[in-house]
Amino acid sequence: MPVLPGAEPYRHDGGEVGVLLCHGFTGSPQSLRPWAEYLAERGLTVSLPLLPGHGTRWQDMQVTGWQDWYAEVDRELRSLLERCRHVFVFGLSMGGALTLRLAAKHGDAVRGVVVVNPANKVHGAMASLLPVVRHLVPSTKGLTSDIAKQGVEELGYDRVPLHAAHSVRQFFRLVDGELPQVTQPMLLLHSPEDHVVPAADSARILSRVSSTDVTEILLEQSYHVATLDHDAERIFEESYAFIGRLAPSAETTGSPAPETLGGSTTGG
């Protein structure tokens, strides 16, 4: 299946500081594209992959699971580590869980993590029934576009495939057990009013990681997809300042992304 227009992966070859961005469940790189371009315009090397089964049609997710999604971001991280002196990992929602597992598994190779409304658990009455229901019902209503800002839409699926939902539930349990292995500096930004991931998930993550350098920021004006919402610019600025504090060379090296290309210099 062809990738939906706007859901394409994004990469920019910049300086010695790299950032991997991980999008959310049933979403696409579109939700993080402005963030990626902001970082590229400041000379950073940026990778924003499209997770397998995403960005086409929801039926394509039925044959994928967390192992596929994690393998994709793990490959991208390893590629950045070969090219960059310092590498950071950022994530939204389920992308936050992917980020945290990368941090737990790669240790000091990951310089720092930034997570926005990170997911830690599948909530709702159906969650415990997923092992059975997924064999009876193929999908349920979608989760995308929880955005306070008028006129802004998230590009993602309008249905949630239940086989994939069962897999993400298993993944969250796995990551929760690995959170004490996360030791890197962390910036966690979350929305008090989020209709997809409750604040309890952020609280759980903050209570279980072993990081000692932790900053928590509330995004008072945004809903779940805060990277496209009223607080987007604040997320971009705070994350760039976070990088600058931990890797000062980020502010002095690297080639800015050409404005005429919208920050995409390698395509795809």
Side-chain angles (χ1 to χ4, degrees):
M1 288 293 295
V3 174
L4 296 170
E8 304 87 357
Y10 171 89
R11 293 175 182 85
H12 171 70
D13 291 325
E16 63 180 10
V17 176
V19 181
L20 168 63
L21 298 102
C22 307
H23 71 76
F25 181 68
T26 74
S28 77
Q30 177 258 359
S31 62
L32 300 183
R33 180 69 178 253
W35 195 3
E37 292 180 344
Y38 177 96
L39 299 169
E41 287 165 3
R42 284 151 184 80
L44 278 64
T45 293
V46 178
S47 176
L48 170 53
L50 173 64
L51 299 179
H54 292 71
T56 53
R57 54 179 194 151
W58 70 261
Q59 290 89 344
D60 293 332
M61 282 192 72
Q62 289 285 45
V63 294
T64 68
W66 74 259
Q67 296 91 340
D68 304 296
W69 314 324
Y70 180 75
E72 181 68 20
V73 295
D74 186 73
R75 279 192 296 269
E76 291 291 328
L77 175 59
R78 292 177 189 275
S79 178
L80 283 174
L81 289 171
E82 290 177 358
R83 304 201 311 269
C84 300
R85 182 180 174 191
H86 301 291
V87 177
F88 294 79
V89 186
F90 295 179
L92 167 69
S93 194
M94 182 192 74
L98 291 169
T99 294
L100 293 167
R101 184 159 209 253
L102 289 170
K105 291 299 182 182
H106 287 269
D108 291 342
V110 173
R111 187 69 185 90
V113 299
V114 178
V115 288
V116 178
N117 291 321
N120 177 257
K121 183 179 180 180
V122 173
H123 298 269
M126 187 183 288
S128 62
L129 302 177
L130 279 172
V132 175
V133 173
R134 66 192 174 106
H135 297 293
L136 307 173
V137 181
S139 68
T140 187
K141 65 179 181 179
L143 302 168
T144 58
S145 293
D146 185 35
I147 300 171
K149 192 173 184 178
Q150 293 295 313
V152 179
E153 295 289 330
E154 179 189 12
L155 181 58
Y157 296 147
D158 60 1
R159 305 295 297 175
V160 174
L162 294 190
H163 278 297
H166 174 64
S167 183
V168 81
R169 181 172 182 250
Q170 294 176 312
F171 181 60
F172 289 160
R173 286 179 167 180
L174 175 70
V175 174
D176 187 69
E178 295 172 342
L179 287 177
Q181 299 173 41
V182 177
T183 60
Q184 295 87 345
M186 174 186 295
L187 172 61
L188 187 151
L189 308 99
H190 66 100
S191 307
E193 188 172 355
D194 183 330
H195 307 100
V196 177
V197 174
D201 284 28
S202 288
R204 171 78 176 178
I205 290 166
L206 289 171
S207 73
R208 288 184 56 75
V209 297
S210 298
S211 306
T212 56
D213 180 348
V214 177
T215 303
E216 178 184 10
I217 294 176
L218 294 182
L219 305 172
E220 301 279 2
Q221 302 180 69
S222 300
Y223 295 163
H224 183 63
V225 192
T227 50
L228 296 177
D229 216 327
H230 293 293
D231 292 295
E233 197 69 20
R234 185 178 186 194
I235 294 170
F236 306 163
E237 292 170 356
E238 294 282 1
S239 65
Y240 184 61
F242 177 77
I243 291 172
R245 176 168 66 83
L246 297 170
S249 59
E251 298 178 353
T252 59
T253 62
S255 57
E259 293 183 11
T260 55
L261 296 179
S264 180
T265 58
T266 57

